[in-house]
Amino acid sequence: MNPDYNVTDIGHDEASTEYDSHSSSEELSRGHATVQAKPAHDSLDQKNGLELANTQKSIDEDSLDVEGKATSVPANNTIAQAAKVSPSLEGSTPDDSLSFQDSTVSSPGRRPRLRSPHPSLRPFDRRFKARLSTSPLGSPRAISPAFLSARSRQSSSLTQLFSDPANLGTSDTPWEVVSWIRLRKLSGEAFSEVGKRNYGRPTCIAVSTLIAIGTSKGIVLVFDYHQNLKAIIGVGTRAPESGSVTSIALSADFSTVASGHANGSIFTWEIAKPAKPFLQIISTDAASLQSSRLDGHVSEVAVLHLGFLGTRHTALASADDKGMAFSHLASRGLGTIARSVKTTRILGRYPETGPISARSRKPSSVLAFAPLPLGSLETASDGLGLVAMLTPYLLVVVSTTPIAQTQHKASRPKELAAHGAMTAALAWYPAMKTKNTSFNAKLAYCWLNVVTILELEEIQPSADADRERPVDLYFRPQKRWEAEESIVGMQWLNRTVLALLTVSQQLIILEDGNLTVTDSSDLIKKHIYHVDLFSQQLDRLVENLDEENISMHGVVADAFYMSFKAYKGRLFLLGFNDVAIGTLSNWADRLFALMEQGDFIGAIQLATSYYGGGADKAAIGLPADDFSRHALVRGKLTEMMAASLRYAFGKNPDADTTRVSESQLEHLARACFVACLMLEDVDFLFDDVYSWYSENSSQNIFLRILETCISDGEIRTVPPGILKDLVNDFVDRGHSARLEEIICLLDPSTMDLDRVTSLCKEFKLHDALFYIWSQAIWDYVTVLKDMLDYPDEGREMNGFTLAESGSGSKVFPYLSYTLTGRVYPTGDWLSDDIAVKAKADVYHVLFSGSTSQGEGSSTFHYLRKLLDLDASSFMSMLNEAFEDNFLDESSDTSNIQEQFSGEQRFGLSLTRQFVIRILLGVLVPPEYEPEDIIYLDMFIARNQPKFPQFIRLPGSVLHRVFVELCNHPSYDIADDCQLSLEYLLSVYQPPELSTLLPLLRRARFFRVIKSVYKADKQYAQLLRTCFEDDESPETIFECIEDCFGPTSGLEKKQLDSLRQVIVENASKFLYTDLSKAAMIIDENLPDLHRLMIETLDTDQHSQYIYLRAILEERKEKKAFEGLVPFQSLVELYVRLLCDYDPHHVPGFVDNLATGDLRLQEVIPAMEKSGVIDAAVILMAREGKVREAMNRLLQHLRYLEVALVRLLEKGDHTSDTASSYESAEDLIESIGKYNKVGLWLCETCTRSLSVADSTVSAAGRRSSRIDAKRLDTDLLDHEQFWLDLIDATVKIARETGDLVNEWESSESKLEDRQRTHDFAFVSRRLRTIVQDTFTGLLATTSVPATPGQTSTNLAFLRILKAFLNRVSQSSPSLVHLRGVLSAIFSAYAYEESLLSLANQLLGKDLFVRIEEASERRKRGWRPSGQACSGCGLRVWGPGVGAGAWDAWNGRQSSEQTSHDMAGIKSRIEDNGKGKNKAVDAFKSGQRSSTPTQGSPLLIANQDALIIFSCRHSYHKRCLEDMLSKIDSETGAASGSAAMMHESQSIGPPSYRCPLEQSATSTKLLT
């Protein structure tokens, strides 16, 4: 597909033209564009600005589609194998065909006319578009190597691997993320059998300039980096007796080592003097710590964490297994005076030694611990001794000097993974100073899988603040990151890189800048030492957690922190069998690994990503700033490309001289293109890379990749020699069309113009020829003249003729782009000065009137050539040029005469008025036919209203345009002509327009005619024209609504004339849109309904649609009162409903009022269509209740007969499924009509008064009257109930008998199957009977008022009459029993529901009462442990032994009471001596057991009284206080203390003296 231009909308507000961009394959092969235009109205608004369409690049058949995929191969001296390329590029046919839609080359003698492929060509709604675009985003070709992404199909697999951070460092990469070295000598000393026997198993490690290892025998081994054992510390001292080393630390100056032990002791040693500890901090038992004011670790509680504070050897911080942390500060010793150590608790609480309190403490431990190390930047926080600690609940940062103080707290984040392993880790990075800047300290910590980074900022005190006041610290949250699994270890490798160790022993390298994973590695084979340190302490926290707190679920992971250390960018691992040191591989290591493997292409691609900054710079040792990084990588990248080229072409003397494959050469070329473009070094690309390929006959590979880069705009300049080779390559392949695109995308200043122009002429590359002449020579008219000038048809000029080349279709888009200031065919904008000159030159050639053709040539030679070629395209081009502000804006050239030539000054002086005058003089008959002149008429009609200030034409010209538009030569452009005429009439009003109406009607310009009639207020003629306009039938309704609307203001005479027009065109009006026509008539002319129905007399379905539109709308609005004069219409609609929608009849009839329908008109239709329920509703509404009930019962009998016959027929048919469905339908109908009968009976029953329902006692002698007489004594509504019940029971009985017969016939298999299939019939019918009796009971049963009994005996009378009737018709009691069972099952069902509901309510109430009772028993919690009166302790530790004795006494009393109650119970059970036993209890002492909800009375004076205000007293103290208050207020002594007599039952009521109000109490011992 190679279209030269496409037509688009010119940007008018109301103009819209849609084009289908999809063409058939045949059209694509021909290079034609399919254009589909949709009619629309142009805007009449004035637009002077230029609205340009977007340029679009065409799709050629020769587009490159080469896949490149590189895979790794074993390390050898070969380049990595590349994926197979797609089949060789196939040639495509040169684009020599015309790209304008179906346009053909016309000779100067005659032209084909009106070449529109579709009605309504819309020549002024289109925009010319070139087929080229400089935007790489819109290019359909293979993506340039410079744009290769991680998932591009042109990129190799290594490119994808290196570009995706998730893949970095995986097993697929040829390098190791961390290069590990096993310390063999050190491991031999510490992990050998001799070493374990002498020193114990290694348990922890500390790293600085030395490596210190703690062992299970309490000994510390110190090694240097040469793996020499420098010291054995602890032998012969108390350290081995203190248990294994559980924590270890090295001082800031590396001269002192500290060890924490399993029994809670801490020792420090000078490495140079290992014989004696420098400091000993011995643990103490818990009881001694609580009795004294000293602090320290509890005995037998392991010290899990240890660290030095600052630079001092005598300042340490430690934490133990029980969640306690301490700071230790030793004084200086003098001579024989030993050092004293001051220990301060900074976290946790001591374990309880006394009785365990009711509320146990939450278990805790210090999961992670680290003092702030010293950095190269001295800060005020260095002297505070900061220590960061992580517990299962909090992050705590504490300063230890000058006093212990909490500086920061943070709780666990909510983002924690549910049910994850409980882990924690943290790491400090100190404040550092570089040459240019300084950085604050940072703290990274994590719980489970969530990593958080804080930056430590110091808030400097104000000038007037106390100098001794410590600096304020602020921990500013920076970032948060979530891992896929829990993290057990964390270390900083440098300021921006974190090393994380997960619970599955995966090493993750995380860059702090954007928190992205740069590398990952599996360390499971390193066998890292880990041990379970926390599960025993935190067991209750994990196993007995609150279920609502899902973040705390899971297990406690083993500890890894003692085995995972880092120092100066190196990682140290303590394993079960060795110690390893690891270094993160840098960028040079990774490139070297690829080169060693032989993957030069992957190395070039990776180095390119390093140069561009795409890789994670900090993790691989690259500078962050671009200048330093470019200087570091540029040389390496250039060297790798040169070495790869030598090796690829077999010129490396140190390697195999065999050339690599073509696919590998292609991948190498792509990598070099990307690298050189990234380096911005195209000289190396064209001088070195291309030289290698051309010298080895592989330049085609290079040239095809160069083609994609040019297409994507990456390369605009190509050396002449390479451009020549590129042109020859396209010529050899026959891709002249593709060559044209490439030429148009290059900078023409670098081209060999003679060579390129001759090629363009030879291969008819018109777009390229336009581009070269205009951009290289800045000549916009010579090439245009060459294409248009030829003496006669068939003679060649400059190598081609206009007829042969098809260049005519190229001329118009070229002119459109040039006259709007754009470069053709790329669409780039020209500079202002060049654009002005180009426009002036082109306008001079077209409209100057002079010619260079000599005598005999006509004026406006080139203008006539273009009009002869295609007048419609020329006018479309000129319409677009008119919107540019060049014309009429550049006429004043007095101040720039020297900058322009005489021809250009002429072009600058042109105006739109002058151009139109020239066109009016040129396009005249007989030289041009109406088929061409009509486009000028449309052009004038559209531009006159857009530029009225510039275009002033006489009325005669505009009148001629008006007439010629009406006399258009073809209906293909009729809509364009009418639209143009609408434009014209917005600014021009012809005289005696009414005389031109026949001309407009003959042209069928109905839109114009309507506007004329509307302006003249001839509404009847307007409506008549709407009926004539078959293309816009919707305007009929719009016209009627406007004319009959409340704001129209029309007179009665005008409305009558409109009414007459509607009557005359009633048929067309209705069949345009029946529903809409009905609504309009109903709203505006309801008296025409009958006429409209008569018009539709022969079409009942249309009548139904018409009536449905008006009557259903009225039903929703409940506005049927306006239809009383048209009762016949409603009746007709009901009859039609019975035919077309019978199910809707009851719903419609139910909304009608009494008298809206005549029964004799609708009942026959209802009965015929089977809509019995609607008929019953109507009869009942008209007062014919008896007839309605009889009709309903008759239909029920009909359904009964049909159901019985169906069941009987089922005995002889094999189609059981069909019978089953029919039976379901019949039962559904029975149920529906039974509900109608219930509605009828209930309505009648409720409408009767109480007086009507009372019958004299004489009429109630039912005990001796026969059943027939009893039935006649029933009231009317009672008789209705009886008839309905009798009908439903009869149906159930008849079908039940039939099903019972099948059940009794069990010998036949088909009978059993039939019984099973139709068993639902009996169940459903019994349900219907139950519903009937339930309705009867609900309607006739009236609840008795208080003090009275119910006197409504209607239910009993109906039931008795029914039983009498059934007893006469039933042959045996069996049938009667079945009927009674069906009757009373309804009441049993309702009774069971009520009983069940009562049980549920009772259970719910019991649960709530029980809960309230249990809460009441819990009592109140006192606010303290002391009596509010005397101040002595009343409960808890220290209360004394008296409380224990009182409790034992109470227990004995309660046991005695329990035994006596058991004796009493046995006496009562025996039934003898009951009164005596009771008397015995009454005469005895009252039981002390309280009743539920009552406080306990205790005779003991030490009883406690607790108030709801939570104050507690001794009973004796409270009574004394209340007596004192009474005496002060003058009351009787004790009157306020006891508010009841001593003989009264129940607890006494007190008031709290502190609250001064009566308060509820509880008494306790």
Side-chain angles (χ1 to χ4, degrees), residues 558-767:
D558 287 358
F560 286 78
Y561 68 89
M562 76 291 292
S563 309
F564 184 68
K565 302 293 182 179
Y567 182 72
K568 289 189 175 181
R570 295 182 176 88
L571 287 172
F572 293 82
L573 293 181
L574 173 64
F576 283 97
N577 301 311
D578 58 7
V579 175
I581 182 172
T583 305
L584 193 65
S585 60
N586 60 19
W587 67 277
D589 296 333
R590 301 182 181 198
L591 294 178
F592 181 76
L594 287 173
M595 299 291 285
E596 283 289 314
Q597 193 183 24
D599 189 359
F600 292 94
I601 299 174
I604 294 172
Q605 293 172 334
L606 184 59
T608 303
S609 67
Y610 290 162
Y611 184 87
D616 301 288
K617 301 175 285 294
I620 56 178
L622 282 174
D625 61 294
D626 293 343
F627 180 80
S628 302
R629 186 177 69 256
H630 290 173
L632 194 63
V633 179
R634 178 184 290 272
K636 293 289 184 182
L637 183 53
T638 305
E639 290 177 8
M640 285 191 295
M641 286 191 290
S644 300
L645 290 169
R646 288 194 301 271
Y647 178 81
F649 291 104
K651 304 299 182 180
N652 190 347
D654 298 330
D656 189 6
T657 58
T658 305
R659 278 186 51 167
V660 297
S661 64
E662 294 294 318
S663 61
Q664 292 173 319
L665 289 177
E666 181 183 351
H667 284 289
L668 178 59
R670 289 184 183 277
C672 292
F673 266 90
V674 175
C676 291
L677 291 175
M678 184 69 70
L679 294 172
E680 297 181 355
D681 187 7
V682 293
D683 293 337
F684 180 85
L685 180 67
F686 292 134
D687 295 342
D688 294 61
V689 179
Y690 183 70
S691 298
W692 278 101
Y693 278 85
S694 61
E695 291 173 1
N696 293 274
S697 303
S698 300
Q699 65 271 17
N700 292 341
I701 297 175
F702 184 94
L703 294 175
R704 293 176 189 179
I705 300 175
L706 175 62
E707 176 193 352
T708 60
C709 292
I710 295 173
S711 299
D712 295 330
E714 289 298 303
I715 295 178
R716 297 297 303 271
T717 302
V718 178
I722 299 179
L723 179 60
K724 180 180 178 181
D725 294 342
L726 181 64
V727 171
N728 293 333
D729 179 67
F730 277 107
V731 172
D732 294 339
R733 290 188 288 153
H735 291 179
S736 57
R738 179 63 170 159
L739 173 61
E740 185 177 31
E741 292 187 21
I742 296 300
I743 291 175
C744 293
L745 294 174
L746 288 175
D747 184 2
S749 62
T750 62
M751 300 180 184
D752 183 352
L753 297 182
D754 292 337
R755 168 65 173 163
V756 175
T757 53
S758 61
L759 284 173
C760 293
K761 292 178 180 179
E762 179 181 356
F763 295 101
K764 306 177 181 64
L765 307 180
H766 310 123
D767 288 342

Side-chain angles (χ1 to χ4, degrees), residues 1272-1312:
T1272 58
D1273 286 344
L1274 293 177
L1275 299 178
D1276 289 341
H1277 69 281
E1278 295 173 348
Q1279 188 65 42
F1280 295 158
W1281 279 109
L1282 178 60
D1283 294 341
L1284 180 62
I1285 292 174
D1286 184 57
T1288 55
V1289 170
K1290 183 179 179 182
I1291 296 174
R1293 185 178 60 199
E1294 293 294 335
T1295 55
D1297 293 343
L1298 189 58
V1299 174
N1300 292 334
E1301 291 179 4
W1302 293 346
E1303 291 177 353
S1304 61
S1305 178
E1306 296 181 356
S1307 59
K1308 296 182 180 180
L1309 180 61
E1310 57 271 16
D1311 290 340
R1312 292 197 298 270

Side-chain angles (χ1 to χ4, degrees), residues 1340-1483:
T1340 59
S1341 297
V1342 179
T1345 59
Q1348 297 180 356
T1349 58
S1350 177
T1351 58
N1352 192 346
L1353 304 178
F1355 174 75
L1356 298 178
R1357 294 197 298 270
I1358 296 171
L1359 178 61
K1360 185 174 183 180
F1362 170 71
L1363 294 178
N1364 288 334
R1365 181 180 293 184
V1366 172
S1367 63
Q1368 291 184 352
S1369 59
S1370 298
S1372 64
L1373 292 177
V1374 176
H1375 295 84
L1376 184 59
R1377 183 178 60 187
V1379 171
L1380 293 175
S1381 175
I1383 293 173
F1384 293 107
S1385 61
Y1387 310 121
Y1389 176 71
E1390 290 190 359
E1391 181 184 2
S1392 62
L1393 282 180
L1394 292 174
S1395 176
L1396 180 60
N1398 188 29
Q1399 293 177 9
L1400 293 176
L1401 289 174
K1403 182 178 181 180
D1404 183 66
L1405 182 62
F1406 172 77
V1407 169
R1408 293 183 178 276
I1409 293 177
E1410 185 181 26
E1411 181 181 359
S1413 176
E1414 291 297 327
R1415 288 186 177 183
R1416 183 179 180 87
K1417 290 179 181 179
R1418 292 179 184 177
W1420 297 311
R1421 178 183 177 184
S1423 59
Q1425 296 181 350
C1427 173
S1428 298
C1430 63
L1432 298 178
R1433 186 181 293 272
V1434 295
W1435 66 278
V1439 70
W1444 173 258
D1445 297 337
W1447 183 82
N1448 287 330
R1450 177 178 176 180
Q1451 293 292 103
S1452 301
S1453 176
E1454 290 180 354
Q1455 183 65 35
T1456 302
S1457 300
H1458 178 72
D1459 295 341
M1460 295 298 294
I1463 296 172
K1464 175 183 176 181
S1465 176
R1466 289 193 296 272
I1467 293 174
E1468 291 177 351
D1469 291 341
N1470 293 332
K1472 298 178 181 180
K1474 178 176 180 181
N1475 294 332
K1476 183 178 181 180
V1478 173
D1479 293 340
F1481 275 94
K1482 287 183 180 180
S1483 62

Side-chain angles (χ1 to χ4, degrees), residues 1486-1555:
R1486 183 179 298 171
S1487 172
S1488 63
T1489 303
T1491 60
Q1492 185 175 356
S1494 301
L1496 179 66
L1497 289 178
I1498 303 295
N1500 190 349
Q1501 293 298 315
D1502 291 333
L1504 302 181
I1505 298 178
I1506 301 174
F1507 292 90
S1508 59
C1509 60
R1510 300 180 61 188
H1511 292 119
S1512 57
Y1513 298 87
H1514 292 106
K1515 180 181 178 183
R1516 178 175 49 200
C1517 296
L1518 177 63
E1519 292 177 350
D1520 293 342
M1521 292 180 66
L1522 292 175
S1523 299
K1524 184 177 179 181
I1525 293 173
D1526 290 342
S1527 62
E1528 292 177 355
T1529 57
S1533 177
S1535 62
M1538 300 295 293
M1539 305 182 73
H1540 68 291
E1541 297 296 331
S1542 59
Q1543 292 83 5
S1544 62
I1545 301 175
S1549 178
Y1550 298 95
R1551 73 172 186 271
C1552 178
L1554 300 180
E1555 294 295 329

Side-chain angles (χ1 to χ4, degrees), residues 57 333 436 457 492 557 752 846 872 922 1214 1438 1536 1552:
K57 179 175 287 187
N436 302 323
E457 297 181 355
W492 288 97
D752 183 352
L846 296 179
S872 65
V922 172
S1214 58
C1552 178

